[in-house]
Amino acid sequence: EGAEPMYRRALETRERVLGPDDSSTLISINNLAQLLQKKGDLEGAEPMYRRALETRERVLGPDDSSTLISINNLAQLLQKKGDLEGAEPM
């Protein structure tokens, strides 16, 4: 079946059971984004990273270690996409 459907299943279940702002849900979002990035699907990974970052900033605050990890993940993705201007403010 592959890893991607399993990650998507975990994300959907966590969203439904725990809610979209739960830390476990955010981990699932990040895991799926990382998988998509490793597969070369940078366009698919970007909205997942942005969603994780936006939620972590709102729920945990801008200085939380999980928020900082999300900033780093998104910046690395933007750099790989060649969007150096977008990555720089991160």
Side-chain angles (χ1 to χ4, degrees), residues 5-15 28:
M6 300 304 285
Y7 277 125
R8 290 190 184 278
R9 180 177 170 192
L11 173 56
E12 290 167 8
T13 302
R14 285 179 169 173
E15 282 182 313
S28 285

Side-chain angles (χ1 to χ4, degrees), residues 7-42:
Y7 277 125
R8 290 190 184 278
R9 180 177 170 192
L11 173 56
E12 290 167 8
T13 302
R14 285 179 169 173
E15 282 182 313
R16 182 173 35 82
V17 174
L18 303 173
D21 295 345
D22 186 84
S23 61
S24 293
T25 302
L26 296 173
I27 289 169
S28 285
I29 292 168
N30 192 69
N31 288 346
L32 179 57
Q34 287 179 327
L35 175 72
L36 293 173
Q37 182 175 342
K38 286 178 184 174
K39 288 177 56 176
D41 183 2
L42 304 183

Side-chain angles (χ1 to χ4, degrees), residues 29 68 81:
I29 292 168
L68 298 174
K81 287 179 65 178

Side-chain angles (χ1 to χ4, degrees), residues 73-90:
N73 289 344
L74 180 57
Q76 287 179 342
L77 174 79
L78 293 173
Q79 182 180 5
K80 284 184 181 183
K81 287 179 65 178
D83 183 1
L84 302 181
E85 291 181 17
E88 187 176 349
M90 299 282 149

Side-chain angles (χ1 to χ4, degrees), residues 52-62 67 71:
L53 174 57
E54 290 165 4
T55 305
R56 284 176 169 162
E57 282 182 323
R58 181 173 43 79
V59 173
L60 303 173
T67 302
I71 291 169

